[in-house]
Amino acid sequence: MVTIESIIIGIVFILIQLYALTIVERSPIGEKKLLSLSGGVAIAYVFIYILPTLHKKQEEFGGSLALDTELYFLGLLGLLVYFSVYSFAQTKAATHLTELTVYMVQASFFMVYSFIISYVVFSTDVKRVESVFYGLAISLHFIGWSYHLGKKHPRLHKTRGRYMLAGATFLGSILGVFGPSSGLLIESMIAFSSGAMLFNVISKELPFEKHAHLPTFLISSLIYAATMISLKAFFNW
C-alpha cells in the first residue's frame, strides 16, 4: 500500500540525486556544516540501525542456512565491491582511460546502490514517524555520496550522471512498493547494501579534518542516535 509518507520520501530521494551538488553548495549553513551533519547522522544510522538490522536478519535465517554468517559475508562483499570501485578510480590504469569511462564505472555501481537502498526502504513495512526518521537519514546519506561523486566530475554528473542515479532511485522505489518485501533475496539486498553503506559512510562521509565542522558532526551524530534509541524503545520499532 502506497502511503503519503512513501510518496514524499520517494520524491525527496529523486530530487536529492538530481540536485545534491546545488543543495550542498547553496546550503544556508554552509558546505562544511552540511557535510558534517550528513556524516554525523549517517554514522549514527549505521551503528544504531543498520548493524542491528543485519544481526536480526542473520538470526532469522540462521536456522535455515548452512552457517551463521551468510548475510555478514554478503555485507563484507558489498564493502569490498565498493572499495574496489573507489580504488579503481584512483589507480594508474584509470588515468589512461577517458574521464567518461572512469565516471561511468562509478556511476553504474552507484545506480545499483541507489536502486537497492530505495527498494529496501520502500519494501519494508515502515510508516509515519519511523519512515520519516529513516528517510531523513537516507536522504542525508544520498546527499553526502552524490555530492562527492559529482564534485569530482561536475560536467558529466550534471549532464548525465545525476539523471541515471535519479532513474535508478525511482525504479527502486516503485519496485519496492509493489515487489516482495521479505525472503532471502530481500535479506541479501539488505546485507549487501549494509556493507556498501558502511564503506561509503566511513571512507567518504566521515569528514576530513580540514573539511569538517567537528561540533556539527558530533552533535548531529549523538542527537540522532539518542533520538533513534528513544523512539525504538517507545514505539517498539
Side-chain angles (χ1 to χ4, degrees), residues 65-82:
L65 299 180
L67 303 172
D68 294 324
T69 56
E70 291 88 350
L71 295 184
Y72 290 112
F73 173 75
L74 287 174
L76 173 63
L77 187 61
L79 186 151
L80 294 177
V81 166
Y82 283 90

Side-chain angles (χ1 to χ4, degrees), residues 11 30 51 58 87 124 129-131 135 153 210-211 221 237:
I11 292 173
L51 293 181
Q58 180 61 63
S87 296
T124 52
V129 178
E130 187 177 4
S131 64
H153 309 276
K210 64 179 181 179
H211 299 302
S221 181
W237 288 351

Side-chain angles (χ1 to χ4, degrees), residues 48 74-75 85 105 121 146 159 193 196 204 234:
I48 304 301
L74 287 174
V85 173
V105 170
V121 168
S146 187
T159 57
S193 63
K204 295 298 178 182
F234 184 79

Side-chain angles (χ1 to χ4, degrees), residues 7 20 26 38 46 48 51 63 67 79 96-97 118 120 125 142 157 162 172 190 204 223 234 237:
I7 294 173
R26 298 185 181 180
S38 169
V46 164
I48 304 301
L51 293 181
L67 303 172
L79 186 151
H96 299 294
L97 301 173
S118 300
V120 168
D125 187 23
F142 277 2
H157 191 75
R162 60 180 180 151
I190 293 175
K204 295 298 178 182
I223 289 179
F234 184 79
W237 288 351

Side-chain angles (χ1 to χ4, degrees), residues 86-107:
Y86 277 115
S87 296
F88 163 76
Q90 307 300 323
T91 60
K92 291 183 179 180
T95 61
H96 299 294
L97 301 173
T98 64
E99 181 187 5
L100 176 61
T101 301
V102 175
Y103 176 79
M104 289 302 292
V105 170
Q106 296 180 82

Side-chain angles (χ1 to χ4, degrees), residues 9 13 45 49 121 126 129-139 224 228 232 237:
I9 291 173
F13 283 179
Y45 180 76
Y49 179 73
V121 168
V126 289
V129 178
E130 187 177 4
S131 64
V132 173
F133 201 65
Y134 293 156
L136 171 64
I138 297 298
S139 297
Y224 187 88
M228 178 175 281
K232 287 176 71 173
W237 288 351

